[in-house]
Amino acid sequence: MRVTFLIEALSILTAQTGVISPLVQICNASLLRVLCINKYASVMPYHFFRPVSNGTNAPPFGSTSVPNDTSFGLVNNSDFLIFDRERGLNLLGPNPSYEYIFNPSVAVHEAPVYVPAQDKLYLSQLSPPSGFLPQLVIDLNLNPPTLSQYLSNPPVYAPNGGTFHGGFIYWGASGGNDSIGGKEQRPGIRTLDPATNKSTTILNNYFGYYFNTVDDLFVHPVTGDVWFTDPQYSWLTKLTDTAPQLPTATYRFTPSTGSIHLVEDTLVQPNGIAIAPSLSTVYIGDPGAYSGPIDGRLGYLGGTVNSTGKHTIYAFDLLGNGTYLGNKRSFYLSADWIPDGLKVARNGYVVTATGMGVDVLDEMGTLLARVQTNYTVQNFAWTGSELKTLWLVGEGGISRVEWELQGKELG
């Protein structure tokens, strides 16, 4: 009797309550590569463990070991993860698809910009190695699409972010070199007329100081001001020959007058930036978990990732007739890697590139769905007449998503 009592007492003490089972299941029998994560896998059976960053990468959600729920092993063999069943499946639509299209170099690929009149997608190739001057262009008029090199006149070195406004591509040019293609270039903002191939520098300094990177940007559709982020990543990735001269910050630039205004300087490494369709909210990502030494006397030492550092998107109210930011609040802590490219869909959902995929969030920062890839995604852009095709670009991969989530029209 005493032995029985002890066994029962021990099982009560060691019992785990609230476990979700199964953690993962196929949402719909007709969509085998779409998985539903039940209740966000908020209670996993012990012993589970997710590895942390080793300094150069961060293991994804699917790397979590959950030996006492074999359903979790399905995560790594799916294209789409659904966290909010109703809204997640709605944004995918009845026939979602993911397709790996191009296998480019292992370099970082960034700044995709769609030009509707040409039905072409322009993008950049950064490093490694540094010094690559042409951009790339995907011709969507052809079936299958083609990928080729593109060189503007004059060339633009290392666009890291881009958008389309008023018939022009706006590049956030992140490269700095005394002589690249026979000419000096510094981080700044360039415009490109895709009809004539003519590029123009509209900003290349802050009162004589070089910008650090000029990473990502958007153009306010009413005021025409260019909002852009300036982290230190060009130095860490050898895209510039000059160590940072300015603190990391976010700026608002008025092309018509040349004036530039500091609008935010509290983030560690401000990166992706986007504006809501309502023009009332601006989102800025801070992947400060990836940082490194910036002392030019030490030379290029690169950067490392610490998963306890910042990998957060922040939301701000856009105030003063679109001139300054207020009410900063934490919006989303990325579940994978660090937040990079950042855009807002037509319905207000926020989409961000995070590691090997992209996350879709509602206006409150709730994770609704994730697209999974086999390469690190840096950025993305909507294309097509209905803007329901999403092209993803990154390190060693360019892929295409077909779904119902529409992008915003860019003027």
Side-chain angles (χ1 to χ4, degrees), residues 145-225:
T146 60
L147 177 68
S148 59
Q149 291 187 6
Y150 173 86
L151 195 64
S152 60
N153 179 30
V156 179
Y157 181 38
N160 211 325
T163 191
F164 189 72
H165 176 77
F168 290 87
I169 293 174
Y170 282 69
W171 293 124
S174 65
N177 194 285
D178 279 339
S179 181
I180 182 77
K183 296 180 181 294
E184 181 175 4
Q185 293 201 37
R186 294 297 162 190
I189 300 174
R190 317 281 201 272
T191 60
L192 170 67
D193 184 343
T196 65
N197 195 38
K198 178 70 174 177
S199 69
T200 303
T201 300
I202 62 173
L203 179 69
N204 70 357
N205 75 95
Y206 184 81
F207 297 98
Y209 289 118
Y210 299 152
F211 288 107
N212 302 319
T213 298
V214 184
D215 189 284
D216 200 8
L217 50 76
F218 71 81
V219 180
H220 192 291
V222 177
T223 68
D225 287 352

Side-chain angles (χ1 to χ4, degrees), residues 150-342:
Y150 173 86
L151 195 64
S152 60
N153 179 30
V156 179
Y157 181 38
N160 211 325
T163 191
F164 189 72
H165 176 77
F168 290 87
I169 293 174
Y170 282 69
W171 293 124
S174 65
N177 194 285
D178 279 339
S179 181
I180 182 77
K183 296 180 181 294
E184 181 175 4
Q185 293 201 37
R186 294 297 162 190
I189 300 174
R190 317 281 201 272
T191 60
L192 170 67
D193 184 343
T196 65
N197 195 38
K198 178 70 174 177
S199 69
T200 303
T201 300
I202 62 173
L203 179 69
N204 70 357
N205 75 95
Y206 184 81
F207 297 98
Y209 289 118
Y210 299 152
F211 288 107
N212 302 319
T213 298
V214 184
D215 189 284
D216 200 8
L217 50 76
F218 71 81
V219 180
H220 192 291
V222 177
T223 68
D225 287 352
V226 184
W227 293 64
F228 67 94
T229 56
D230 193 37
Q232 298 162 338
Y233 288 149
S234 285
W235 177 251
L236 302 183
T237 56
K238 298 185 179 180
L239 286 173
T240 181
D241 58 11
T242 307
Q245 298 181 339
L246 290 167
T248 60
T250 300
Y251 300 90
R252 177 176 60 82
F253 170 61
T254 303
S256 62
T257 65
S259 63
I260 185 166
H261 301 265
L262 175 71
V263 294
E264 214 292 322
D265 65 353
T266 67
L267 305 188
V268 179
Q269 298 284 0
N271 192 318
I273 184 169
I275 186 171
S278 64
L279 308 184
S280 62
T281 307
V282 170
Y283 301 93
I284 306 176
D286 184 0
Y290 175 66
S291 291
I294 60 169
D295 189 336
R297 296 169 298 180
L298 302 176
Y300 296 107
L301 297 178
T304 57
V305 176
N306 183 337
S307 60
T308 65
K310 294 291 185 184
H311 46 109
T312 308
I313 296 172
Y314 295 89
F316 302 80
D317 290 342
L318 183 56
L319 306 170
N321 295 318
T323 58
Y324 66 93
L325 301 177
N327 189 25
K328 173 187 175 184
R329 62 259 188 206
S330 301
F331 180 74
Y332 179 60
L333 180 70
S334 65
D336 279 272
W337 189 233
I338 51 179
D340 198 339
L342 181 63

Side-chain angles (χ1 to χ4, degrees), residues 72-149:
F72 197 81
L74 298 171
V75 168
N76 291 323
N77 296 312
S78 66
D79 295 330
F80 303 95
L81 299 180
I82 301 299
F83 293 88
D84 183 302
R85 183 182 290 260
E86 181 179 353
R87 292 184 291 172
L89 290 176
N90 282 341
L91 69 88
L92 289 189
N95 297 298
S97 66
Y98 167 82
E99 186 178 4
Y100 185 87
I101 304 293
F102 297 112
N103 181 20
S105 74
V106 294
V108 170
H109 294 87
E110 263 282 9
V113 178
Y114 179 56
V115 178
Q118 296 181 341
D119 202 17
K120 292 182 178 180
L121 182 68
Y122 293 76
L123 64 142
S124 68
Q125 180 170 302
L126 303 183
S127 63
S130 56
F132 185 78
L133 199 53
Q135 277 74 62
L136 304 177
V137 60
I138 300 174
D139 190 340
L140 303 175
N141 296 283
L142 303 175
N143 189 16
T146 60
L147 177 68
S148 59
Q149 291 187 6

Side-chain angles (χ1 to χ4, degrees), residues 63 66-67 70 76 126 145 217 221 244 264 343 369 394 400 410:
S63 69
V66 192
T70 56
N76 291 323
L126 303 183
L217 50 76
E264 214 292 322
K343 293 179 172 66
R400 180 176 61 192
L410 301 176

Side-chain angles (χ1 to χ4, degrees), residues 29-43:
S30 64
L31 301 173
L32 297 181
R33 298 191 64 82
V34 179
L35 296 180
C36 282
I37 309 298
N38 290 324
K39 297 186 71 173
Y40 290 78
S42 54
V43 182

